[in-house]
Amino acid sequence: MTIAPISCSVETRSPLPRAFELFTTNMTGWWGSRTPAPQPAVAVVIEPYVGGRWFERAADGEETVWGGVLVWEPPHRLVLGWQLDSRFVYDPDLLTEVEITFTPIPAGGTRVALEHRNLDRFGADAVATAGKIGTGWPRQLGQFVQFADRTRHEIDA
């Protein structure tokens, strides 16, 4: 069975380098409270290099790995390895890919496009998991735009 990739995009008023920076170094500021860990996250981290981890950290220091960095090409492209199974629990043997591209737009902002692919790797749970992911990513990117635009406004003020 082949499951179509989840694709969505948003536009932010933040310029290209700033949009990439906010997405990758300040995920805590825009991700929100819906995370896979049993405890609330105080940080969501993308280590800024190929082979880096993508994880969340709880207040007590416990870390929950989500996956890793497969491609790191600032400020234009990032590919993350999603290693959460259908229950959103880390599985080192599972790997789907989340590619995020950042493209300048004529109005001076940035188009952020996301594609989550290889969803058939969820096996028997692929259709249901793709449905969850398909509603989750647009919500997350919407939160990113609100954060990026608010942050830009705070900087400009």
Side-chain angles (χ1 to χ4, degrees), residues 74-122:
H76 298 284
R77 183 170 172 249
L78 169 70
V79 180
L80 299 169
W82 174 285
Q83 293 181 274
L84 299 175
D85 66 16
S86 61
R87 296 170 292 128
F88 297 93
V89 173
Y90 177 71
D91 179 350
D93 297 323
L94 174 68
L95 178 66
T96 63
E97 296 177 357
V98 181
E99 180 172 7
I100 307 100
T101 57
F102 300 80
T103 308
I105 55 176
T110 304
R111 180 175 190 266
V112 180
L114 180 143
E115 179 182 90
H116 193 154
R117 56 185 173 246
N118 302 318
L119 301 175
D120 53 301
R121 294 179 183 171
F122 287 109

Side-chain angles (χ1 to χ4, degrees), residues 5-11 23 30-32 34 82 88 98-100 112-116 119 129-147:
I6 303 300
S7 297
C8 53
S9 64
V10 292
E11 292 183 357
F23 191 98
W30 61 267
W31 186 267
R34 298 182 75 160
W82 174 285
F88 297 93
V98 181
E99 180 172 7
I100 307 100
V112 180
L114 180 143
E115 179 182 90
H116 193 154
L119 301 175
T129 304
K132 292 176 192 173
I133 291 170
T135 59
W137 278 124
R139 181 181 57 248
Q140 295 306 124
L141 286 184
Q143 290 177 188
F144 169 71
V145 168
Q146 290 176 0
F147 176 76

